[in-house]
Amino acid sequence: MHQSVDKIALLFAFNIACVLLLPTIGLVELSWHGIAIAYVMLFLMNGLGVIVGYHRHLSHSAFEFRNETLRWIFIFLGAVSCSGSPLGWAVIHKSHHRYSDRDGDPHCSDIGFFNMQAVRYNMDKVSGFAGMKKIIRDPFCAFLHKYYFQVVAVFAMCVFAAFGVEGLYWGFFVPAALTMFAEGFLNWAAHKNWGYQSHDAKDKSKNVWWLNFLSFGEGWHNNHHKSPRAETTKEKWWEFDPAGLVISWVKL
């Protein structure tokens, strides 16, 4: 598990390097059109893939998809976001809830912003796969876990073959880097002194409204920590949860 997290950190660093380098050497032009494409892909990778597929479906079993093909699409979008395999992501996230803001929390906010962004997690108590039998026995998730980096590489090559350097930049490198940044920033900022607590969740989790611009409903983090198996983080009428809306359309 340690080795896999280190590789994810390297993959994130590679994506960040490409995001910064390609416009600098003139291979990509910055444009509003490209930014719009990147945000749509961010919603697909992070909003649908990581948040709906990895987080609320696989990690917390908050809902079931209406059909298996739809489920595969969402989980695949999570995989190509460069956030890790379905199994690896779920194991770390479950450990976060088990030890939230205490010794053993793999991404406790006390490690600091830069360590969080560099994916320097505390993996000492992330012991394995207890409670993960459903994911382990799922052939699709098992395949993505075993061949994770190969799947990401093939996806990137397909995007490049279809859309060239510009498509690879705006359709893969930028949204994948933003997804990883959004996850790290959420895990750090939503456990600091910003926002508000609607519940005593026995940890430092806060609801921070502006985190939702990149995290699509995950900014209501205190609500989630209070009821992790809820399919939506929305409790008050103004707590907008785009991921929860998607779930209401795709669930059984």
Side-chain angles (χ1 to χ4, degrees):
M1 186 64 74
H2 287 265
Q3 184 180 15
S4 296
V5 171
D6 291 342
K7 289 180 179 179
I8 294 297
L10 288 174
L11 183 58
F12 180 38
F14 176 75
N15 286 341
I16 290 289
C18 290
V19 169
L20 297 176
L21 181 63
L22 292 182
T24 303
I25 62 178
L27 289 179
V28 172
E29 292 185 3
L30 301 181
S31 66
W32 289 112
H33 178 258
I35 291 172
I37 292 173
Y39 194 77
V40 170
M41 289 303 297
L42 174 67
F43 178 71
L44 294 177
M45 288 181 177
N46 191 26
L48 303 191
V50 174
I51 295 170
V52 175
Y54 274 20
H55 186 199
R56 301 193 194 177
H57 171 64
L58 288 178
S59 299
H60 294 296
S61 300
F63 74 100
E64 293 296 330
F65 284 92
R66 66 174 64 162
N67 66 66
E68 194 70 2
T69 301
L70 199 59
R71 179 176 179 271
W72 290 342
I73 291 171
F74 276 64
I75 293 172
F76 179 78
L77 287 170
V80 297
S81 73
C82 298
S83 299
S85 74
L87 179 59
W89 199 100
V91 166
I92 291 173
H93 186 72
K94 281 183 172 291
S95 296
H96 166 64
H97 276 270
R98 186 178 301 121
Y99 302 109
S100 186
D101 293 315
R102 295 179 286 119
D103 181 37
D105 183 348
H107 45 66
C108 177
S109 62
D110 291 343
I111 69 175
F113 172 78
F114 291 104
N115 283 328
M116 191 78 79
Q117 289 299 321
V119 201
R120 292 174 182 164
Y121 292 168
N122 172 20
M123 303 296 290
D124 293 341
K125 290 190 177 181
V126 181
S127 56
F129 309 122
M132 306 301 294
K133 290 181 180 179
K134 181 178 179 181
I135 302 177
I136 294 171
R137 293 172 179 172
D138 183 309
F140 187 63
C141 290
F143 175 84
L144 290 176
H145 182 71
K146 184 176 182 179
Y147 300 105
Y148 179 71
F149 295 99
Q150 294 93 321
V151 169
V152 171
V154 169
F155 177 78
M157 288 187 290
C158 288
V159 173
F160 174 72
F163 304 106
V165 176
E166 290 271 350
L168 183 64
Y169 183 81
W170 294 112
F172 178 71
F173 287 135
V174 173
L178 281 175
T179 295
M180 285 296 291
F181 171 79
E183 289 185 48
F185 192 64
L186 173 78
N187 290 329
W188 178 74
H191 286 264
K192 305 307 285 185
N193 293 323
W194 301 322
Y196 62 92
Q197 284 192 318
S198 298
H199 310 280
D200 179 11
K202 310 301 181 184
D203 56 33
K204 301 176 184 177
S205 61
K206 306 290 194 305
N207 293 326
V208 187
W209 67 269
W210 45 267
L211 289 174
N212 291 302
F213 288 110
L214 293 179
S215 297
F216 306 107
E218 300 289 87
W220 314 119
H221 203 61
N222 178 244
N223 295 351
H224 170 63
H225 270 252
K226 178 62 178 178
S227 304
R229 293 197 65 181
E231 65 185 44
T232 180
T233 56
K234 177 179 178 179
E235 292 185 354
K236 299 179 174 66
W237 68 267
W238 44 268
E239 292 175 339
F240 182 51
D241 177 22
L245 284 177
V246 172
I247 290 172
S248 69
W249 299 331
V250 301
K251 70 178 182 178
L252 284 172

